[in-house]
Amino acid sequence: PEFKIGPICAWNESTPNADIQTFDTIDEVYAANYSVVHCGACGACSNWNDLSLQWTTRTFLAEEAQKCVQKSLLGGTADDVQECNEESIGFTEQCATCWTEDQLCAKKNCVFIYLQSMIVNQVSNFNVGLGDITSATCDEALCGPEFVPCSGATRRRMNIISDIPRPISQQCTIATENWAEVFNHP
């Protein structure tokens, strides 16, 4: 995706009381004296709590989210997944709903890839490069088009290097906040 054009989610200050809003262009962000939070429009996860979680869980969020969706595999419900996303990970209710819908979409559409990865001990393979066939690539292709606008904030849209390795071309490089300082978490 082209991250440097289109809507931008920005804030007037990097605090819990920030005014966070969507601007049509980067020029409008700068004209308003705001800073880029993430590429793309703001969504359900574009709030202090959920933005903080994108940073503080960057090295293990994919695995934790996978644990939440596993709660639905043997008789569990969507409510079980939602509760896990809220209670275990800490997402707000609205953000957790985006995650839950994405996870259940991936379960529905990518279950055979997931089961195959279990057999070959590659469940934690979150590669998303060209030619990779993983649960992560399946999820991004089939469920991402609804998840990303719902959530707004994602690690790559915030330019956060995470547990899912990505080429720099898939990062929003106009988001230049020092997240370690913003959230006081190394």
Side-chain angles (χ1 to χ4, degrees):
E2 177 55 63
F3 285 119
K4 295 175 182 73
I5 59 173
I8 306 288
C9 185
W11 55 18
N12 62 335
E13 59 185 10
S14 54
T15 70
N17 300 317
D19 176 49
I20 303 174
Q21 59 181 285
T22 300
F23 291 85
D24 290 331
T25 67
I26 189 70
D27 292 334
E28 290 179 15
V29 171
Y30 297 144
N33 201 28
Y34 276 52
S35 300
V36 174
V37 174
H38 63 75
C39 290
C42 301
C45 303
S46 302
N47 60 73
W48 183 264
N49 178 79
D50 298 318
L51 293 167
S52 172
L53 285 171
Q54 294 290 342
W55 173 253
T56 59
T57 65
R58 70 194 178 280
T59 61
F60 59 87
L61 180 57
E63 286 186 31
E64 290 303 307
Q66 192 173 68
K67 289 176 189 175
C68 287
V69 76
Q70 287 174 349
K71 294 186 179 297
S72 72
L73 290 179
L74 298 173
T77 66
D79 289 340
D80 295 326
V81 179
Q82 177 80 15
E83 180 179 326
C84 182
N85 283 320
E86 289 180 42
E87 302 300 324
S88 296
I89 296 175
F91 288 127
T92 59
E93 181 181 357
Q94 296 82 4
C95 181
T97 298
C98 296
W99 277 80
T100 298
E101 289 173 359
D102 179 70
Q103 291 159 314
L104 296 176
C105 172
K107 176 186 162 192
K108 175 183 173 187
N109 293 294
C110 308
V111 69
F112 292 110
I113 294 171
Y114 176 77
L115 292 174
Q116 179 185 16
S117 67
M118 286 178 64
I119 292 168
V120 296
N121 199 24
Q122 289 290 312
V123 171
S124 61
N125 180 352
F126 298 113
N127 290 337
V128 292
L130 292 174
D132 289 322
I133 301 174
T134 65
S135 296
T137 55
C138 178
D139 174 35
E140 287 192 3
L142 300 177
C143 306
E146 290 189 28
F147 170 71
V148 173
C150 180
S151 67
T154 65
R155 289 164 295 175
R156 72 173 133 167
R157 279 179 145 197
M158 292 173 67
N159 198 23
I160 294 173
I161 306 300
S162 73
D163 53 345
I164 301 177
R166 300 184 184 283
I168 194 68
S169 64
Q170 291 186 10
Q171 296 288 131
C172 173
T173 56
I174 61 172
T176 58
E177 291 284 0
N178 180 335
W179 299 116
E181 283 182 19
V182 169
F183 298 119
N184 196 26
H185 187 277

